[in-house]
Amino acid sequence: MPQARAGISKRRFEGWRHTGYALVLLALVAATSGAQGPLAGRIAPDFKLRALSGPDVKLSALRGRPVVLAFWGTWCPPCRTEFPELIRVHHELRADSLVIIGVNGRDKELSAKDVQRFVDEFLVPFQVALDSQGRTRRAFHLVSVPTTVFIDVHGVVQRVHPGAISRAQLYDGIALIVKRR
């Protein structure tokens, strides 16, 4: 009889353990799939980053203009996929004063030369900022790249989209921050 009790309690324990794993997994999925993150509805954290070329990028200096921050890395396949869309949007909406900034996780790159090769390969027309120590990524509470952040003219984060972004999702985010003429 003691063995039967041990078997029952072991089964019960296994069930609880699996339930616990499921709850943790569910919490992680919910945290990342909501696509809003902890900053949605709040003023975006300010940053000043060295640009790959040109003047430093200071987010607060862009107040009054809608901003899309695309956090990316050269080693990231989805980043390579979405960059042509970001470039297309830049050309299409710059007349609406939309600013796109590619924020490279320079702390996760081998060298700035790799970043420059990527920018040259894609003929990136917008500014690329180098987050050389990952501070900006951490200030935005980002877990992975790519992540796209949509900031309105008042500096308020309207949406955070973790992971690869489709054309439709990109335009949905932009619709929150750009008032079309």
Side-chain angles (χ1 to χ4, degrees):
M1 197 68 150
Q3 279 185 329
R5 275 193 185 156
I8 291 171
S9 64
K10 183 177 180 183
R11 252 185 268 139
R12 189 174 295 153
F13 172 75
E14 290 296 318
W16 290 335
R17 187 175 70 173
H18 291 297
T19 302
Y21 290 150
L23 289 173
V24 168
L25 182 60
L26 184 61
L28 287 172
V29 168
T32 59
S33 69
Q36 292 305 310
L39 295 177
R42 296 188 175 159
I43 296 290
D46 195 18
F47 61 81
K48 182 178 181 182
L49 295 173
R50 185 171 69 86
L52 189 59
S53 62
D56 290 349
V57 177
K58 184 165 176 58
L59 184 60
S60 60
L62 298 171
R63 192 76 42 92
R65 298 180 71 185
V67 177
V68 174
L69 299 177
F71 289 85
W72 64 284
T74 61
W75 44 267
C76 163
C79 299
R80 297 185 72 80
T81 301
E82 68 184 32
F83 247 76
E85 285 302 319
L86 292 166
I87 292 167
R88 184 181 346 271
V89 165
H90 167 79
H91 289 304
E92 182 182 326
L93 297 176
R94 66 181 166 197
D96 292 317
S97 74
L98 178 70
V99 176
I100 297 177
I101 300 171
V103 181
N104 176 266
R106 177 62 189 89
D107 62 321
K108 303 291 183 187
E109 299 285 352
L110 293 176
S111 74
K113 288 180 183 178
D114 291 334
V115 177
Q116 186 64 58
R117 272 193 289 278
F118 184 98
V119 167
D120 292 345
E121 176 185 343
F122 284 93
L123 302 172
V124 177
F126 48 81
Q127 266 194 310
V128 171
L130 303 173
D131 189 11
S132 60
Q133 297 180 353
R135 288 185 183 131
T136 303
R137 182 184 68 247
R138 287 189 298 279
F140 278 82
H141 306 284
L142 302 185
V143 177
S144 63
V145 295
T147 295
T148 308
V149 180
F150 300 90
I151 303 169
D152 70 17
V153 296
H154 305 290
V156 176
V157 175
Q158 292 299 318
R159 179 170 290 165
V160 177
H161 182 91
I165 193 166
S166 69
R167 177 182 289 187
Q169 292 166 327
L170 183 59
Y171 280 96
D172 286 347
I174 289 170
L176 296 173
I177 62 172
V178 172
K179 304 302 176 219
R180 299 302 303 262
R181 296 180 233 167

